[in-house]
Amino acid sequence: MNQEFLHRLLCTASVSGNEVPLQKVVLEEMEQYSHQLYIDGNSNVTAVLNENSNVRVLLDAHADEVGLMVTCANSSGLLHVAKAGGARLHCWAGQKVRILTDKGIVHGAIAMTDACKKEGISAKDLLIDIGAASQKEAEDLVHTGDTVVLDTDWRMLQNNCICSRALDDKAGVFIVMEALKKAARMGCTAGVFAVSASGEETTKRGAHWAAESIRPDMAIVVDVTFASDAPGCSDGDNGRVKLGGGPVLCHGSINSKPLRKLLEQAAKRCGIQVQHEVTPASTYTDADAIHIKNNGVPVTLVSIPLRYMHTPAEVGSLNDIQACIDLIAEFLCGLREPVELNPFE
């Protein structure tokens, strides 16, 4: 596992709408491993293997993370913000933050006010203190639309677990890119289009336009899912999902049953333990946007078990991440001819 690549992804801020800094990391990493490497006006990066193959597989994971956006500065030099994606705002009060500006990072702190102590805290209750003494001083440094992330880092925990902000879904981006690399080493002949997609946390725009332009025969979306062994979670919510238990395969309306079965067969071939969850309706991932493109793209979701989603300290397992890479690479190498994904068989 190329952990240095994963660490660079985790250390690079990419609030939804400002994914380019992270996408530059992906471009740099994948240049030597891809037959083609594309960028587009939607801030997507697509690494391609065997572009002219008669089998076209889209691998999707989203580059963006939840965070905040600056709306304005007040007369005291404090910054007001809006929420970008599903950030859990009660985790932000009293924390250090990084503001990404055109001139570089500006550091700040979320003010701890009485409003932050109430139930149902909203973005309107948060103020960022950058040390500015006036509105003009603040506006000289920070502008409307600048994005904000918590000033956190990754750390290794026991049993090969990792703790970081935004494992959702930078771990997924790492997986689809590493799966392409491994499939290439294994002699894969299928056309693989690994997309680091923009905007999942807010609009799913990146996946929408990736599917539109690539026109895949099938798609695998890699994202995170709630580990049921986290405090406050239950096996009965969506299925028994344990950290370190392996990739999670999804059952539900959006997910292609034949495609999931092919993944199960690939898992058996290489001895990978998989887990199962249900999403009876929407998956709330890029799978929802991809599925409805091009007269219906067969799609399935492969998930990484995650504890404490959308918090500053998400916890996942490097063992699960490696198993996802191995599973997808094995699946890709098994696609030597076009496959009819007929749900009636």
Side-chain angles (χ1 to χ4, degrees):
M1 178 185 292
N2 183 358
Q3 289 192 40
E4 192 271 337
F5 176 32
L6 176 60
H7 297 161
R8 282 194 294 144
L9 293 173
L10 293 174
C11 290
T12 305
S14 60
V15 174
S16 197
N18 189 20
E19 298 92 347
V20 169
L22 184 111
Q23 300 293 42
K24 289 180 178 178
V25 175
V26 177
L27 282 168
E28 180 183 352
E29 174 68 24
M30 297 306 295
E31 185 174 11
Q32 63 179 308
Y33 298 104
S34 310
H35 294 165
Q36 300 286 340
L37 197 57
Y38 300 134
I39 58 174
D40 63 31
N42 297 294
S43 303
N44 290 333
V45 171
T46 304
V48 184
L49 187 67
N50 306 320
E51 184 172 20
N52 296 321
S53 171
N54 61 354
V55 182
R56 298 171 71 85
V57 184
L58 168 60
L59 303 181
D60 168 279
H62 68 88
D64 60 318
E65 62 178 296
V66 299
L68 305 175
M69 296 184 77
V70 174
T71 58
C72 67
N74 67 20
S75 59
S76 300
L78 299 173
L79 306 178
H80 293 270
V81 293
K83 189 165 73 165
R88 299 193 182 192
L89 297 181
H90 58 279
C91 297
W92 285 64
Q95 299 294 320
K96 299 185 296 294
V97 296
R98 302 199 304 265
I99 307 165
L100 278 73
T101 77
D102 291 340
K103 296 180 180 179
I105 294 173
V106 172
H107 294 277
I110 302 287
M112 176 58 79
T113 66
D114 288 341
C116 295
K117 302 173 186 177
K118 70 180 184 180
E119 292 186 10
I121 183 174
S122 73
K124 293 181 180 180
D125 300 314
L126 300 183
L127 293 169
I128 300 178
D129 186 345
I130 61 170
S134 67
Q135 180 177 351
K136 183 181 184 306
E137 184 180 355
E139 290 177 344
D140 285 343
L141 294 168
V142 178
H143 300 112
T144 298
D146 287 344
T147 54
V148 184
V149 294
L150 287 158
D151 191 2
T152 62
D153 202 351
W154 62 270
R155 290 289 184 270
M156 289 303 300
L157 307 182
Q158 302 304 305
N159 297 310
N160 217 22
C161 291
I162 187 169
C163 175
S164 177
R165 183 196 84 245
L167 283 168
D168 174 13
D169 187 33
K170 295 173 188 181
V173 171
F174 178 72
I175 286 166
V176 299
M177 297 303 164
E178 290 295 302
L180 181 147
K181 293 180 192 176
K182 182 170 184 178
R185 294 195 300 269
M186 293 169 64
C188 174
T189 59
V192 182
F193 298 78
V195 179
S196 178
S198 62
E200 190 269 354
E201 297 289 0
T202 51
T203 63
K204 298 180 176 54
R205 62 190 177 92
H208 175 99
W209 292 113
E212 177 80 13
S213 61
I214 293 169
R215 304 193 70 81
D217 299 310
M218 64 191 77
I220 296 174
V221 172
V222 180
D223 211 321
V224 300
T225 192
F226 292 98
S228 64
D229 60 358
C233 295
S234 167
D235 293 347
D237 294 339
N238 297 101
R240 183 173 291 109
V241 174
K242 309 294 185 184
L243 217 66
V248 184
L249 304 184
C250 194
H251 302 247
S253 177
I254 296 294
N255 290 272
S256 165
K257 187 175 181 179
L259 187 51
R260 189 187 70 248
K261 286 184 174 179
L262 289 176
L263 283 164
E264 290 173 345
Q265 292 168 12
K268 288 182 179 178
R269 288 198 300 271
C270 50
I272 293 174
Q273 179 181 351
V274 296
Q275 306 180 84
H276 297 269
E277 67 172 346
V278 300
T279 57
S282 297
T283 67
Y284 302 100
T285 71
D286 278 345
D288 301 342
I290 292 169
H291 172 64
I292 60 174
K293 298 304 298 180
N294 309 329
N295 299 318
V297 176
V299 65
T300 197
L301 180 62
V302 176
S303 296
I304 313 151
L306 192 72
R307 296 174 182 159
Y308 324 126
M309 194 184 301
H310 287 189
T311 73
E314 296 176 343
V315 174
S317 167
L318 292 185
N319 296 339
D320 291 332
I321 290 172
Q322 184 62 60
C324 285
I325 294 167
D326 296 342
L327 171 61
I328 293 171
E330 175 66 26
F331 166 82
L332 293 171
C333 290
L335 294 175
R336 301 191 177 278
E337 298 293 337
V339 176
E340 184 175 355
L341 299 173
N342 185 351
F344 293 94
E345 292 182 349

